[in-house]
Amino acid sequence: MQTFDLEAQGLRNLNAALQAQSKDTNQTAWEIVNAKGSHAIAVGLDAPIEVVVKGSTGYYCAGMNKQATIRVHGSAGPGVAENMMSGTVIVDGDASQYAGATGRGGTLVIKGNASSRCGISMKGIDIIVHGNIGHMSAFMGQSGNMVVCGDAGDALGDSLYEARLFVRGSVKSLGADCIEKEMRPEHLEILADLLERGECDAKPEEFKRYGSARKLYNFNIDNAY
């Protein structure tokens, strides 16, 4: 276990050390102490290492992650796991705005609640939220899956493309072109896997599925003025 004191050793040194790890590294387990809400912790990683952050983080923690497993023992500020490519990011507390934004792959698990615009422009990431999510979540979601064990705020899935949204609780309102869809056996199978990966005890049958009505894909003369 490599223990890194962020307060004493500094953010630049931390990220340089983590980014220097390769697929063949024997320094596979890292613990970061004295995080104290610092921004941009553990960004740009590209190695199969495990990083544990003791405490809450600021902006953009675990951004652009590839391969690594990063766990935050606290809450995360705006943009956690933004544009992640692969690997796993787990937040034990709450996440602020636009968690998992533009994520292209990997899994983001939020054990608490997520704020507005969770999963905005998601492009293949899987996001599992144990609590609630805020307004405009999955806006322009292109692909991937979002699982919400609690409730969803206003304008869920506005201008959605092909991302799948699963919500167990209530949805305050659906955004443009987002509709409720049939939950078929293949979706229950996908959801069961996501719930297991997200360490959730919910049952797939408790959820509703939402997706794109595909009415915004092509030009419609009735929309012209």
PDB file of all heavy atoms in Angstrom, residues 82-118:
ATOM      1  N   GLU A  82     -15.617  12.812 -14.822  1.00  0.00           N
ATOM      2  CA  GLU A  82     -15.932  13.403 -16.121  1.00  0.00           C
ATOM      3  C   GLU A  82     -15.060  12.787 -17.214  1.00  0.00           C
ATOM      4  O   GLU A  82     -13.859  12.600 -17.053  1.00  0.00           O
ATOM      5  CB  GLU A  82     -15.716  14.918 -16.087  1.00  0.00           C
ATOM      6  CG  GLU A  82     -16.102  15.583 -17.399  1.00  0.00           C
ATOM      7  CD  GLU A  82     -15.886  17.077 -17.379  1.00  0.00           C
ATOM      8  OE1 GLU A  82     -14.756  17.506 -17.115  1.00  0.00           O
ATOM      9  OE2 GLU A  82     -16.857  17.815 -17.633  1.00  0.00           O
ATOM     10  N   ASN A  83     -15.680  12.444 -18.310  1.00  0.00           N
ATOM     11  CA  ASN A  83     -14.998  11.911 -19.489  1.00  0.00           C
ATOM     12  C   ASN A  83     -14.177  10.655 -19.185  1.00  0.00           C
ATOM     13  O   ASN A  83     -13.167  10.396 -19.831  1.00  0.00           O
ATOM     14  CB  ASN A  83     -14.088  12.979 -20.127  1.00  0.00           C
ATOM     15  CG  ASN A  83     -13.804  12.694 -21.589  1.00  0.00           C
ATOM     16  OD1 ASN A  83     -14.665  12.208 -22.317  1.00  0.00           O
ATOM     17  ND2 ASN A  83     -12.591  12.978 -22.019  1.00  0.00           N
ATOM     18  N   MET A  84     -14.623   9.849 -18.226  1.00  0.00           N
ATOM     19  CA  MET A  84     -13.894   8.597 -17.957  1.00  0.00           C
ATOM     20  C   MET A  84     -14.080   7.626 -19.117  1.00  0.00           C
ATOM     21  O   MET A  84     -15.092   7.633 -19.809  1.00  0.00           O
ATOM     22  CB  MET A  84     -14.321   7.982 -16.622  1.00  0.00           C
ATOM     23  CG  MET A  84     -15.686   7.332 -16.582  1.00  0.00           C
ATOM     24  SD  MET A  84     -16.075   6.634 -14.944  1.00  0.00           S
ATOM     25  CE  MET A  84     -14.968   5.230 -14.886  1.00  0.00           C
ATOM     26  N   MET A  85     -13.044   6.802 -19.325  1.00  0.00           N
ATOM     27  CA  MET A  85     -13.014   5.888 -20.457  1.00  0.00           C
ATOM     28  C   MET A  85     -13.291   4.444 -20.047  1.00  0.00           C
ATOM     29  O   MET A  85     -13.925   3.684 -20.767  1.00  0.00           O
ATOM     30  CB  MET A  85     -11.650   5.964 -21.142  1.00  0.00           C
ATOM     31  CG  MET A  85     -11.224   7.373 -21.506  1.00  0.00           C
ATOM     32  SD  MET A  85     -12.219   8.062 -22.833  1.00  0.00           S
ATOM     33  CE  MET A  85     -11.445   9.657 -23.032  1.00  0.00           C
ATOM     34  N   SER A  86     -12.750   4.049 -18.902  1.00  0.00           N
ATOM     35  CA  SER A  86     -12.925   2.680 -18.410  1.00  0.00           C
ATOM     36  C   SER A  86     -12.601   2.678 -16.921  1.00  0.00           C
ATOM     37  O   SER A  86     -12.301   3.717 -16.332  1.00  0.00           O
ATOM     38  CB  SER A  86     -12.017   1.702 -19.172  1.00  0.00           C
ATOM     39  OG  SER A  86     -10.656   2.012 -18.970  1.00  0.00           O
ATOM     40  N   GLY A  87     -12.646   1.485 -16.314  1.00  0.00           N
ATOM     41  CA  GLY A  87     -12.387   1.397 -14.881  1.00  0.00           C
ATOM     42  C   GLY A  87     -13.634   1.645 -14.065  1.00  0.00           C
ATOM     43  O   GLY A  87     -14.762   1.659 -14.585  1.00  0.00           O
ATOM     44  N   THR A  88     -13.442   1.910 -12.783  1.00  0.00           N
ATOM     45  CA  THR A  88     -14.561   2.087 -11.854  1.00  0.00           C
ATOM     46  C   THR A  88     -14.271   3.245 -10.917  1.00  0.00           C
ATOM     47  O   THR A  88     -13.159   3.370 -10.405  1.00  0.00           O
ATOM     48  CB  THR A  88     -14.785   0.812 -11.022  1.00  0.00           C
ATOM     49  OG1 THR A  88     -15.015  -0.301 -11.899  1.00  0.00           O
ATOM     50  CG2 THR A  88     -15.973   0.963 -10.086  1.00  0.00           C
ATOM     51  N   VAL A  89     -15.281   4.079 -10.697  1.00  0.00           N
ATOM     52  CA  VAL A  89     -15.199   5.156  -9.708  1.00  0.00           C
ATOM     53  C   VAL A  89     -16.372   4.994  -8.761  1.00  0.00           C
ATOM     54  O   VAL A  89     -17.524   4.894  -9.208  1.00  0.00           O
ATOM     55  CB  VAL A  89     -15.224   6.541 -10.366  1.00  0.00           C
ATOM     56  CG1 VAL A  89     -15.229   7.644  -9.308  1.00  0.00           C
ATOM     57  CG2 VAL A  89     -14.037   6.717 -11.314  1.00  0.00           C
ATOM     58  N   ILE A  90     -16.090   4.957  -7.469  1.00  0.00           N
ATOM     59  CA  ILE A  90     -17.128   4.776  -6.452  1.00  0.00           C
ATOM     60  C   ILE A  90     -17.064   5.951  -5.479  1.00  0.00           C
ATOM     61  O   ILE A  90     -15.998   6.250  -4.924  1.00  0.00           O
ATOM     62  CB  ILE A  90     -16.939   3.456  -5.672  1.00  0.00           C
ATOM     63  CG1 ILE A  90     -16.920   2.266  -6.634  1.00  0.00           C
ATOM     64  CG2 ILE A  90     -18.044   3.276  -4.630  1.00  0.00           C
ATOM     65  CD1 ILE A  90     -16.442   0.980  -5.994  1.00  0.00           C
ATOM     66  N   VAL A  91     -18.196   6.594  -5.266  1.00  0.00           N
ATOM     67  CA  VAL A  91     -18.298   7.690  -4.301  1.00  0.00           C
ATOM     68  C   VAL A  91     -19.198   7.213  -3.165  1.00  0.00           C
ATOM     69  O   VAL A  91     -20.375   6.924  -3.385  1.00  0.00           O
ATOM     70  CB  VAL A  91     -18.882   8.961  -4.952  1.00  0.00           C
ATOM     71  CG1 VAL A  91     -19.001  10.075  -3.921  1.00  0.00           C
ATOM     72  CG2 VAL A  91     -18.022   9.399  -6.133  1.00  0.00           C
ATOM     73  N   ASP A  92     -18.642   7.136  -1.976  1.00  0.00           N
ATOM     74  CA  ASP A  92     -19.429   6.622  -0.856  1.00  0.00           C
ATOM     75  C   ASP A  92     -20.489   7.612  -0.369  1.00  0.00           C
ATOM     76  O   ASP A  92     -21.472   7.216   0.251  1.00  0.00           O
ATOM     77  CB  ASP A  92     -18.507   6.254   0.308  1.00  0.00           C
ATOM     78  CG  ASP A  92     -17.733   4.973   0.049  1.00  0.00           C
ATOM     79  OD1 ASP A  92     -18.199   4.161  -0.772  1.00  0.00           O
ATOM     80  OD2 ASP A  92     -16.671   4.775   0.668  1.00  0.00           O
ATOM     81  N   GLY A  93     -20.284   8.896  -0.647  1.00  0.00           N
ATOM     82  CA  GLY A  93     -21.235   9.917  -0.229  1.00  0.00           C
ATOM     83  C   GLY A  93     -22.055  10.437  -1.393  1.00  0.00           C
ATOM     84  O   GLY A  93     -22.460   9.685  -2.281  1.00  0.00           O
ATOM     85  N   ASP A  94     -22.270  11.753  -1.401  1.00  0.00           N
ATOM     86  CA  ASP A  94     -23.041  12.402  -2.464  1.00  0.00           C
ATOM     87  C   ASP A  94     -22.106  12.930  -3.556  1.00  0.00           C
ATOM     88  O   ASP A  94     -20.908  13.125  -3.331  1.00  0.00           O
ATOM     89  CB  ASP A  94     -23.846  13.573  -1.890  1.00  0.00           C
ATOM     90  CG  ASP A  94     -24.870  13.134  -0.859  1.00  0.00           C
ATOM     91  OD1 ASP A  94     -25.460  12.043  -1.027  1.00  0.00           O
ATOM     92  OD2 ASP A  94     -25.081  13.876   0.129  1.00  0.00           O
ATOM     93  N   ALA A  95     -22.674  13.189  -4.717  1.00  0.00           N
ATOM     94  CA  ALA A  95     -21.922  13.796  -5.812  1.00  0.00           C
ATOM     95  C   ALA A  95     -22.626  15.083  -6.239  1.00  0.00           C
ATOM     96  O   ALA A  95     -23.856  15.146  -6.292  1.00  0.00           O
ATOM     97  CB  ALA A  95     -21.824  12.850  -6.998  1.00  0.00           C
ATOM     98  N   SER A  96     -21.832  16.098  -6.558  1.00  0.00           N
ATOM     99  CA  SER A  96     -22.393  17.374  -6.989  1.00  0.00           C
ATOM    100  C   SER A  96     -22.764  17.316  -8.469  1.00  0.00           C
ATOM    101  O   SER A  96     -22.948  16.246  -9.027  1.00  0.00           O
ATOM    102  CB  SER A  96     -21.394  18.497  -6.693  1.00  0.00           C
ATOM    103  OG  SER A  96     -22.002  19.760  -6.880  1.00  0.00           O
ATOM    104  N   GLN A  97     -22.829  18.471  -9.105  1.00  0.00           N
ATOM    105  CA  GLN A  97     -23.346  18.570 -10.468  1.00  0.00           C
ATOM    106  C   GLN A  97     -22.506  17.791 -11.486  1.00  0.00           C
ATOM    107  O   GLN A  97     -21.323  17.575 -11.306  1.00  0.00           O
ATOM    108  CB  GLN A  97     -23.379  20.041 -10.896  1.00  0.00           C
ATOM    109  CG  GLN A  97     -24.208  20.929 -10.000  1.00  0.00           C
ATOM    110  CD  GLN A  97     -24.067  22.377 -10.390  1.00  0.00           C
ATOM    111  OE1 GLN A  97     -24.729  22.834 -11.318  1.00  0.00           O
ATOM    112  NE2 GLN A  97     -23.214  23.104  -9.710  1.00  0.00           N
ATOM    113  N   TYR A  98     -23.181  17.459 -12.595  1.00  0.00           N
ATOM    114  CA  TYR A  98     -22.638  16.796 -13.788  1.00  0.00           C
ATOM    115  C   TYR A  98     -21.660  15.660 -13.503  1.00  0.00           C
ATOM    116  O   TYR A  98     -20.613  15.543 -14.129  1.00  0.00           O
ATOM    117  CB  TYR A  98     -22.059  17.801 -14.794  1.00  0.00           C
ATOM    118  CG  TYR A  98     -21.239  18.954 -14.255  1.00  0.00           C
ATOM    119  CD1 TYR A  98     -19.868  18.868 -14.123  1.00  0.00           C
ATOM    120  CD2 TYR A  98     -21.870  20.158 -13.913  1.00  0.00           C
ATOM    121  CE1 TYR A  98     -19.123  19.928 -13.666  1.00  0.00           C
ATOM    122  CE2 TYR A  98     -21.136  21.220 -13.442  1.00  0.00           C
ATOM    123  CZ  TYR A  98     -19.754  21.108 -13.317  1.00  0.00           C
ATOM    124  OH  TYR A  98     -19.016  22.165 -12.847  1.00  0.00           O
ATOM    125  N   ALA A  99     -22.024  14.798 -12.571  1.00  0.00           N
ATOM    126  CA  ALA A  99     -21.235  13.587 -12.314  1.00  0.00           C
ATOM    127  C   ALA A  99     -21.246  12.696 -13.553  1.00  0.00           C
ATOM    128  O   ALA A  99     -22.288  12.476 -14.166  1.00  0.00           O
ATOM    129  CB  ALA A  99     -21.810  12.820 -11.121  1.00  0.00           C
ATOM    130  N   GLY A 100     -20.080  12.206 -13.932  1.00  0.00           N
ATOM    131  CA  GLY A 100     -19.986  11.296 -15.074  1.00  0.00           C
ATOM    132  C   GLY A 100     -20.227  11.949 -16.420  1.00  0.00           C
ATOM    133  O   GLY A 100     -20.474  11.257 -17.409  1.00  0.00           O
ATOM    134  N   ALA A 101     -20.130  13.275 -16.494  1.00  0.00           N
ATOM    135  CA  ALA A 101     -20.410  13.982 -17.741  1.00  0.00           C
ATOM    136  C   ALA A 101     -19.503  13.494 -18.869  1.00  0.00           C
ATOM    137  O   ALA A 101     -18.313  13.279 -18.675  1.00  0.00           O
ATOM    138  CB  ALA A 101     -20.211  15.481 -17.546  1.00  0.00           C
ATOM    139  N   THR A 102     -20.079  13.295 -20.028  1.00  0.00           N
ATOM    140  CA  THR A 102     -19.402  12.882 -21.264  1.00  0.00           C
ATOM    141  C   THR A 102     -18.649  11.563 -21.123  1.00  0.00           C
ATOM    142  O   THR A 102     -17.804  11.243 -21.956  1.00  0.00           O
ATOM    143  CB  THR A 102     -18.423  13.966 -21.797  1.00  0.00           C
ATOM    144  OG1 THR A 102     -17.268  14.028 -20.973  1.00  0.00           O
ATOM    145  CG2 THR A 102     -19.094  15.319 -21.879  1.00  0.00           C
ATOM    146  N   GLY A 103     -18.951  10.787 -20.094  1.00  0.00           N
ATOM    147  CA  GLY A 103     -18.234   9.528 -19.878  1.00  0.00           C
ATOM    148  C   GLY A 103     -18.399   8.562 -21.038  1.00  0.00           C
ATOM    149  O   GLY A 103     -19.506   8.333 -21.525  1.00  0.00           O
ATOM    150  N   ARG A 104     -17.298   7.979 -21.483  1.00  0.00           N
ATOM    151  CA  ARG A 104     -17.307   7.107 -22.656  1.00  0.00           C
ATOM    152  C   ARG A 104     -17.284   5.617 -22.306  1.00  0.00           C
ATOM    153  O   ARG A 104     -17.472   4.772 -23.171  1.00  0.00           O
ATOM    154  CB  ARG A 104     -16.108   7.447 -23.550  1.00  0.00           C
ATOM    155  CG  ARG A 104     -16.199   8.842 -24.119  1.00  0.00           C
ATOM    156  CD  ARG A 104     -14.979   9.224 -24.930  1.00  0.00           C
ATOM    157  NE  ARG A 104     -15.126  10.565 -25.475  1.00  0.00           N
ATOM    158  CZ  ARG A 104     -15.721  10.859 -26.624  1.00  0.00           C
ATOM    159  NH1 ARG A 104     -16.233   9.889 -27.364  1.00  0.00           N
ATOM    160  NH2 ARG A 104     -15.804  12.107 -27.050  1.00  0.00           N
ATOM    161  N   GLY A 105     -17.021   5.283 -21.049  1.00  0.00           N
ATOM    162  CA  GLY A 105     -16.984   3.887 -20.645  1.00  0.00           C
ATOM    163  C   GLY A 105     -16.735   3.789 -19.156  1.00  0.00           C
ATOM    164  O   GLY A 105     -16.625   4.790 -18.453  1.00  0.00           O
ATOM    165  N   GLY A 106     -16.658   2.553 -18.666  1.00  0.00           N
ATOM    166  CA  GLY A 106     -16.432   2.351 -17.243  1.00  0.00           C
ATOM    167  C   GLY A 106     -17.714   2.466 -16.442  1.00  0.00           C
ATOM    168  O   GLY A 106     -18.821   2.621 -16.986  1.00  0.00           O
ATOM    169  N   THR A 107     -17.564   2.405 -15.119  1.00  0.00           N
ATOM    170  CA  THR A 107     -18.702   2.407 -14.202  1.00  0.00           C
ATOM    171  C   THR A 107     -18.504   3.449 -13.120  1.00  0.00           C
ATOM    172  O   THR A 107     -17.456   3.478 -12.468  1.00  0.00           O
ATOM    173  CB  THR A 107     -18.875   1.024 -13.544  1.00  0.00           C
ATOM    174  OG1 THR A 107     -19.019   0.024 -14.564  1.00  0.00           O
ATOM    175  CG2 THR A 107     -20.102   0.998 -12.650  1.00  0.00           C
ATOM    176  N   LEU A 108     -19.507   4.289 -12.922  1.00  0.00           N
ATOM    177  CA  LEU A 108     -19.526   5.257 -11.832  1.00  0.00           C
ATOM    178  C   LEU A 108     -20.642   4.869 -10.871  1.00  0.00           C
ATOM    179  O   LEU A 108     -21.795   4.756 -11.277  1.00  0.00           O
ATOM    180  CB  LEU A 108     -19.762   6.668 -12.372  1.00  0.00           C
ATOM    181  CG  LEU A 108     -20.066   7.760 -11.342  1.00  0.00           C
ATOM    182  CD1 LEU A 108     -18.904   7.948 -10.373  1.00  0.00           C
ATOM    183  CD2 LEU A 108     -20.413   9.086 -12.041  1.00  0.00           C
ATOM    184  N   VAL A 109     -20.280   4.672  -9.607  1.00  0.00           N
ATOM    185  CA  VAL A 109     -21.257   4.319  -8.577  1.00  0.00           C
ATOM    186  C   VAL A 109     -21.297   5.435  -7.543  1.00  0.00           C
ATOM    187  O   VAL A 109     -20.254   5.814  -7.000  1.00  0.00           O
ATOM    188  CB  VAL A 109     -20.904   2.987  -7.887  1.00  0.00           C
ATOM    189  CG1 VAL A 109     -21.944   2.641  -6.819  1.00  0.00           C
ATOM    190  CG2 VAL A 109     -20.793   1.865  -8.903  1.00  0.00           C
ATOM    191  N   ILE A 110     -22.482   5.953  -7.276  1.00  0.00           N
ATOM    192  CA  ILE A 110     -22.666   6.999  -6.271  1.00  0.00           C
ATOM    193  C   ILE A 110     -23.575   6.439  -5.192  1.00  0.00           C
ATOM    194  O   ILE A 110     -24.746   6.150  -5.449  1.00  0.00           O
ATOM    195  CB  ILE A 110     -23.265   8.267  -6.902  1.00  0.00           C
ATOM    196  CG1 ILE A 110     -22.319   8.813  -7.975  1.00  0.00           C
ATOM    197  CG2 ILE A 110     -23.537   9.322  -5.828  1.00  0.00           C
ATOM    198  CD1 ILE A 110     -22.938   9.873  -8.864  1.00  0.00           C
ATOM    199  N   LYS A 111     -23.029   6.264  -3.985  1.00  0.00           N
ATOM    200  CA  LYS A 111     -23.795   5.628  -2.913  1.00  0.00           C
ATOM    201  C   LYS A 111     -24.845   6.558  -2.303  1.00  0.00           C
ATOM    202  O   LYS A 111     -25.806   6.100  -1.695  1.00  0.00           O
ATOM    203  CB  LYS A 111     -22.836   5.134  -1.816  1.00  0.00           C
ATOM    204  CG  LYS A 111     -21.891   4.022  -2.258  1.00  0.00           C
ATOM    205  CD  LYS A 111     -22.658   2.753  -2.587  1.00  0.00           C
ATOM    206  CE  LYS A 111     -21.743   1.580  -2.859  1.00  0.00           C
ATOM    207  NZ  LYS A 111     -21.156   0.976  -1.661  1.00  0.00           N
ATOM    208  N   GLY A 112     -24.655   7.865  -2.463  1.00  0.00           N
ATOM    209  CA  GLY A 112     -25.631   8.830  -1.966  1.00  0.00           C
ATOM    210  C   GLY A 112     -26.481   9.379  -3.089  1.00  0.00           C
ATOM    211  O   GLY A 112     -26.925   8.649  -3.968  1.00  0.00           O
ATOM    212  N   ASN A 113     -26.688  10.704  -3.063  1.00  0.00           N
ATOM    213  CA  ASN A 113     -27.466  11.382  -4.098  1.00  0.00           C
ATOM    214  C   ASN A 113     -26.537  12.054  -5.106  1.00  0.00           C
ATOM    215  O   ASN A 113     -25.389  12.367  -4.793  1.00  0.00           O
ATOM    216  CB  ASN A 113     -28.371  12.449  -3.471  1.00  0.00           C
ATOM    217  CG  ASN A 113     -29.329  11.875  -2.452  1.00  0.00           C
ATOM    218  OD1 ASN A 113     -30.017  10.895  -2.721  1.00  0.00           O
ATOM    219  ND2 ASN A 113     -29.384  12.477  -1.265  1.00  0.00           N
ATOM    220  N   ALA A 114     -27.052  12.304  -6.297  1.00  0.00           N
ATOM    221  CA  ALA A 114     -26.335  13.076  -7.299  1.00  0.00           C
ATOM    222  C   ALA A 114     -27.141  14.326  -7.617  1.00  0.00           C
ATOM    223  O   ALA A 114     -28.369  14.298  -7.644  1.00  0.00           O
ATOM    224  CB  ALA A 114     -26.112  12.255  -8.561  1.00  0.00           C
ATOM    225  N   SER A 115     -26.447  15.410  -7.883  1.00  0.00           N
ATOM    226  CA  SER A 115     -27.105  16.681  -8.140  1.00  0.00           C
ATOM    227  C   SER A 115     -27.539  16.790  -9.602  1.00  0.00           C
ATOM    228  O   SER A 115     -27.660  15.781 -10.299  1.00  0.00           O
ATOM    229  CB  SER A 115     -26.163  17.829  -7.753  1.00  0.00           C
ATOM    230  OG  SER A 115     -26.831  19.073  -7.813  1.00  0.00           O
ATOM    231  N   SER A 116     -27.735  17.987 -10.070  1.00  0.00           N
ATOM    232  CA  SER A 116     -28.260  18.222 -11.421  1.00  0.00           C
ATOM    233  C   SER A 116     -27.283  17.777 -12.505  1.00  0.00           C
ATOM    234  O   SER A 116     -26.086  17.682 -12.297  1.00  0.00           O
ATOM    235  CB  SER A 116     -28.559  19.709 -11.599  1.00  0.00           C
ATOM    236  OG  SER A 116     -27.381  20.475 -11.457  1.00  0.00           O
ATOM    237  N   ARG A 117     -27.849  17.472 -13.658  1.00  0.00           N
ATOM    238  CA  ARG A 117     -27.091  17.143 -14.871  1.00  0.00           C
ATOM    239  C   ARG A 117     -26.191  15.917 -14.715  1.00  0.00           C
ATOM    240  O   ARG A 117     -25.156  15.806 -15.372  1.00  0.00           O
ATOM    241  CB  ARG A 117     -26.285  18.355 -15.354  1.00  0.00           C
ATOM    242  CG  ARG A 117     -27.168  19.525 -15.734  1.00  0.00           C
ATOM    243  CD  ARG A 117     -26.358  20.771 -16.083  1.00  0.00           C
ATOM    244  NE  ARG A 117     -27.239  21.843 -16.544  1.00  0.00           N
ATOM    245  CZ  ARG A 117     -27.878  22.681 -15.727  1.00  0.00           C
ATOM    246  NH1 ARG A 117     -27.747  22.560 -14.414  1.00  0.00           N
ATOM    247  NH2 ARG A 117     -28.665  23.618 -16.209  1.00  0.00           N
ATOM    248  N   CYS A 118     -26.580  15.022 -13.877  1.00  0.00           N
ATOM    249  CA  CYS A 118     -25.830  13.764 -13.745  1.00  0.00           C
ATOM    250  C   CYS A 118     -25.853  13.049 -15.100  1.00  0.00           C
ATOM    251  O   CYS A 118     -26.900  12.898 -15.720  1.00  0.00           O
ATOM    252  CB  CYS A 118     -26.474  12.895 -12.676  1.00  0.00           C
ATOM    253  SG  CYS A 118     -25.668  11.300 -12.406  1.00  0.00           S
TER     254      CYS A 118
END
